[in-house]
Amino acid sequence: DKILINNTPYETEDPLVTGKGIWNNGACRTGNFQTDTLTCKGHFQYQGGPTTPQDQAPIANAGPAQELVDDDGDGVEIVDLDGSASADPDGLIVEFEWLQGQQIIATGAQPTVDLPIGNHELALRVTDDDGLIGEASVMITVEEPSIASILRVRAVGSTGQERIEIQIDGESVHTFSPPRASGLFRAADPGWGTTTYTHPTQLHPEQVRLVYSNDSYTSAGDRNIRVDRIEIDGTLFETEGPDVITRGSWGNGSMCSTGTFRNDNLVCNGFIQYASAGEFEISEVATNISTPWGVDFLPGGDMIFTERVGRINVVDAETGVQRQIAADMTALRVTGTSGLLGLAVDPDYESNRRFYTCQTRSNPDAVELIVWEMNGSATAAQRVGQPLFSEGTNYGHVGCQVRIDDSGFLWISIGDDFVGTNPQDLTKHHGKVLRIDRFTGDGAPDNPFIDSLNITTRRIFSYGHRNVQGIAFRGGSDQVWSIGHGSDVDDEINLLLPGGNYGWDPVPELFPVPDARYPTYDEHNNPMTDLTKFPDAIEAAWSSGPTVAPGGGDFLAGSEWGEHEGALAVAILKGAKLTLFHFDAEGNYISDSSPVQLDGTYDRLRSATLGPDGALYVTTTNSGFGPVDPRVDKILRVVPAR
């Protein structure tokens, strides 16, 4: 109905329509589309109608009109809402440039760079016809020099479809688009972000033939072939397992384009990724769900888990049937990564039918620990009394992991809530790991601050945390470990000590920061463990460097896990894998590894929980953020291969 430029409103004629996606690099962040006037910082694309707002009968006393300029005659006029004319941000790409460090190593419409096999960090810079520039960092790793000698990186594409193609010895092995901050290419937001490509170890034969035995295989059904023999360049090799070849690994990482899966002998030219059956057997025990978060087990082995959108589910251990539990979630607030999160089953569940959830609510906004009681048929649950604790929240960095130790005490992680003073403030739950009585909500009697007059302080076991996602008890010891998100760097795994300060203090140097979304919070200029401010702060047992976003984890127990017995299995979100960490008895880091079967296969992984059957239960989290419910996630059961 109206457009506001420099606080001057102008009437539109039709009224005109502007696409929501063209605001502020893809979304208007300071206005909304539900009112008659829209104020939005950034670019505004005005299309159709007169070319100047003077011709549109401005509102009385509106002041001077701002002329809209058509820069390139394409009928699209671009205006910065600070009142100044701007170049068209959707112009054609003029030039790509490859940079290594500060040096331009190739330029042109489709520049190509030949490099030796190895590790390379490059930058791709794109310039459009208005001189606007965007840049992406690209990290590439290619090994196996015995089978390949030349790595070629090529930039291709047009505006909005820029792509990077990677070739090895003249054959295309990967094409991808750099991640962008928005759908439009803009000088105001030039950062494309960073992407990493690691070329898998592959055989590079002239011809491969597989002979497989599972006659029930159909091309539209199974994704795996159980292989008895593999023939490479005419030489037949027996397999030991027999091994499993994933259908998706044929033909340069995709389908086999020259063979078929409908006969016993498969001939496929090109690359084949050949791996053994792997260390683990993986099955799907829950599907058609959205962001499963907390996982635990009822007596008898039934699995109970939460979905962040507000569902509690049980999977029958014998039949595998999945059912939703009726529970009142009317006050639940689902936004960002907030909602129905951690869950733990009471050790006396058989007699009291209780379990616990950590979740966020609205009216008032708070993060709470709720006690539930399940009915006899395990089909419905009702709340018991008041929350064990409740504290106001901004819905940011919630944490909300819940575990129960062998002594029956509840452990809960609460994130810093984007308030800089929270992690070091012993009168706040935020930025802490709590240890409380599961019946009264008071601190455990041997907590480090149990003599405090403040009930919140009495609940605190450790502090100075940013956003703890996982709590794990190490078998055969009294060790408790936490897994937490860093800021831009330094995700952490910590051995928790009573009263320990882990050094996170994101208070900005200028306090408060004017006009900031979180004026008391600066996570980019403060270390995760600030030893300058807190010389006695406890340093992490493991730190990631560049962030990988670890989620929940658990220690593997049982000799069937072989060399991984006792490892801390951690689900990785951003890294999209499961990582097994080994620490010595004192908590010193030794090594880590990621099994290939769970490295990128299921995208983002949220949590890992050891079940009473000795299996590891891993949740995926590919459903997005906020109150969305696409039901694309699953829970995996992982056991050592037989």
Side-chain angles (χ1 to χ4, degrees):
D1 297 299
K2 308 181 190 71
I3 178 172
L4 204 64
I5 300 178
N6 275 3
N7 294 319
T8 301
Y10 300 97
E11 298 287 345
T12 59
E13 286 191 340
D14 288 331
L16 301 176
V17 175
T18 58
K20 183 174 178 181
I22 61 177
W23 284 91
N24 191 33
N25 305 328
C28 173
R29 298 206 173 97
T30 58
N32 65 71
F33 288 86
Q34 297 171 358
T35 60
D36 288 337
T37 58
L38 172 60
T39 303
C40 185
K41 296 177 181 178
H43 293 285
F44 170 64
Q45 181 168 332
Y46 172 81
Q47 191 166 2
T51 58
T52 60
Q54 295 97 303
D55 299 333
Q56 298 183 45
I59 296 174
N61 302 317
Q66 168 66 49
E67 183 177 2
L68 301 177
V69 181
D70 182 359
D71 290 297
D72 50 15
D74 62 358
V76 177
E77 295 76 51
I78 306 301
V79 162
D80 277 343
L81 291 191
D82 60 4
S84 62
S86 169
D88 181 355
D90 294 319
L92 298 176
I93 289 179
V94 173
E95 186 176 57
F96 289 105
E97 292 176 321
W98 281 111
L99 294 90
Q100 195 163 38
Q102 299 298 315
Q103 181 180 3
I104 297 175
I105 57 176
T107 184
Q110 289 194 356
T112 299
V113 181
D114 286 348
L115 300 163
I117 298 299
N119 302 324
H120 301 281
E121 183 170 353
L122 307 176
L124 177 64
R125 181 183 295 163
V126 181
T127 305
D128 79 351
D129 60 352
D130 289 305
L132 302 182
I133 296 174
E135 190 169 302
S137 173
V138 183
M139 286 172 283
I140 301 166
T141 299
V142 180
E143 298 176 348
E144 294 299 320
S146 61
I147 64 169
S149 57
I150 298 176
L151 164 68
R152 176 167 292 173
V153 182
R154 190 164 70 105
V156 296
S158 57
T159 303
Q161 297 179 337
E162 303 88 348
R163 302 187 309 283
I164 295 172
E165 181 186 51
I166 296 176
Q167 299 178 356
I168 295 181
D169 288 354
E171 187 160 7
S172 177
V173 297
H174 193 65
T175 302
F176 62 95
S177 298
R180 326 170 142 264
S182 70
L184 293 182
F185 181 70
R186 301 195 180 282
D189 192 359
W192 267 0
T194 300
T195 190
T196 300
Y197 172 72
T198 302
H199 190 66
T201 301
Q202 293 179 316
L203 301 176
H204 192 179
E206 292 287 330
Q207 189 177 76
V208 173
R209 185 167 71 95
L210 299 185
V211 183
Y212 63 90
S213 61
N214 52 330
D215 297 332
S216 63
Y217 174 82
T218 61
S219 61
D222 299 342
R223 285 191 57 83
N224 297 327
I225 297 177
R226 193 164 293 279
V227 178
D228 297 303
R229 296 183 296 278
I230 179 169
E231 185 177 300
I232 301 176
D233 291 347
T235 302
L236 191 66
F237 298 93
E238 297 288 337
T239 60
E240 291 184 351
D243 295 333
V244 173
I245 296 294
T246 301
R247 188 167 85 176
S249 67
W250 287 91
N252 304 329
S254 181
M255 293 290 292
C256 173
S257 58
T258 60
T260 172
F261 288 93
R262 292 193 175 94
N263 54 41
D264 287 339
N265 297 321
L266 172 61
V267 177
C268 183
N269 295 317
F271 290 109
I272 172 176
Q273 182 171 324
Y274 174 76
S276 70
E279 296 180 90
F280 305 115
E281 294 180 3
I282 302 169
S283 57
E284 298 177 2
V285 294
T287 58
N288 193 35
I289 52 181
S290 295
T291 316
W293 203 285
V295 175
D296 207 347
F297 294 85
L298 303 175
D302 289 357
M303 181 175 66
I304 181 171
F305 66 93
T306 59
E307 294 177 78
R308 187 174 51 82
V309 292
R311 289 188 289 267
I312 301 172
N313 306 277
V314 169
V315 177
D316 189 285
E318 293 185 2
T319 65
V321 174
Q322 178 180 319
R323 66 181 183 275
Q324 182 179 343
I325 303 302
D328 181 9
M329 295 291 172
T330 53
L332 185 73
R333 172 74 183 273
V334 181
T335 178
T337 55
S338 303
L340 179 60
L341 305 178
L343 173 145
V345 174
D346 194 283
D348 295 323
Y349 176 87
E350 285 185 302
S351 60
N352 63 25
R353 310 289 292 179
R354 289 189 173 193
F355 64 95
Y356 309 85
T357 60
C358 186
Q359 57 194 74
T360 52
R361 63 159 296 147
S362 58
N363 298 319
D365 298 340
V367 55
E368 298 182 327
L369 188 68
I370 306 298
V371 185
W372 299 88
E373 185 176 307
M374 188 81 79
N375 67 358
S377 58
T379 56
Q382 63 180 6
R383 297 187 180 211
V384 178
Q386 296 299 311
L388 288 181
F389 73 79
S390 178
E391 184 155 337
T393 182
N394 292 316
Y395 301 108
H397 293 176
V398 178
C400 254
Q401 173 66 279
V402 185
R403 300 294 299 272
I404 300 180
D405 64 21
D406 290 340
S407 299
F409 293 111
L410 276 163
W411 293 72
I412 310 101
S413 68
I414 304 294
D416 64 19
D417 204 42
F418 288 130
V419 176
T421 55
N422 273 344
Q424 298 295 324
D425 185 348
L426 297 183
T427 66
K428 300 288 187 182
H429 293 101
H430 298 293
K432 314 297 189 305
V433 172
L434 313 177
R435 181 171 179 254
I436 68 173
D437 186 291
R438 70 184 194 275
F439 299 109
T440 67
D442 204 348
D446 55 348
N447 273 4
F449 307 110
I450 195 61
D451 293 331
S452 173
L453 297 178
N454 186 298
I455 187 171
T456 297
T457 307
R458 294 198 298 270
R459 292 168 172 157
I460 294 171
F461 185 84
S462 61
Y463 65 103
H465 299 287
R466 181 178 180 271
N467 191 14
V468 171
Q469 298 290 296
I471 297 173
F473 306 121
R474 191 175 194 179
S477 75
D478 59 359
Q479 292 180 359
V480 182
W481 293 69
S482 70
I483 306 157
H485 285 175
S487 52
D488 295 333
V489 295
D490 293 340
D491 303 315
E492 292 186 346
I493 297 177
N494 285 298
L495 174 57
L496 297 181
L497 300 179
N501 180 3
Y502 289 80
W504 178 238
D505 186 39
V507 175
E509 186 173 332
L510 176 63
F511 183 92
V513 179
D515 301 324
R517 182 182 181 189
Y518 301 109
T520 69
Y521 194 80
D522 179 8
E523 65 177 2
H524 301 298
N525 297 296
N526 289 288
M528 284 295 292
T529 305
D530 196 332
L531 294 173
T532 301
K533 291 182 183 177
F534 313 108
D536 295 330
I538 301 171
E539 295 188 74
W542 172 86
S543 185
S544 66
T547 182
V548 297
D554 214 342
F555 284 95
L556 301 178
S559 59
E560 64 271 19
W561 291 100
E563 64 180 2
H564 297 306
E565 182 180 8
L568 178 61
V570 178
I572 305 292
L573 292 157
K574 184 177 177 182
K577 59 187 176 182
L578 183 78
T579 299
L580 307 178
F581 292 91
H582 290 268
F583 299 91
D584 66 19
E586 288 71 40
N588 300 302
Y589 169 80
I590 299 174
S591 65
D592 66 82
S593 62
S594 295
V596 65
Q597 295 160 282
L598 289 164
D599 190 347
T601 314
Y602 298 93
D603 291 332
R604 293 164 63 88
L605 303 181
R606 165 64 61 184
S607 66
T609 306
L610 196 70
D613 58 352
L616 188 69
Y617 291 81
V618 179
T619 67
T620 73
T621 182
N622 300 305
S623 295
F625 300 95
V628 294
D629 192 15
R631 294 177 179 260
V632 298
D633 284 311
K634 55 192 67 174
I635 300 178
L636 311 172
R637 182 179 184 269
V638 181
V639 296
R642 294 188 294 271

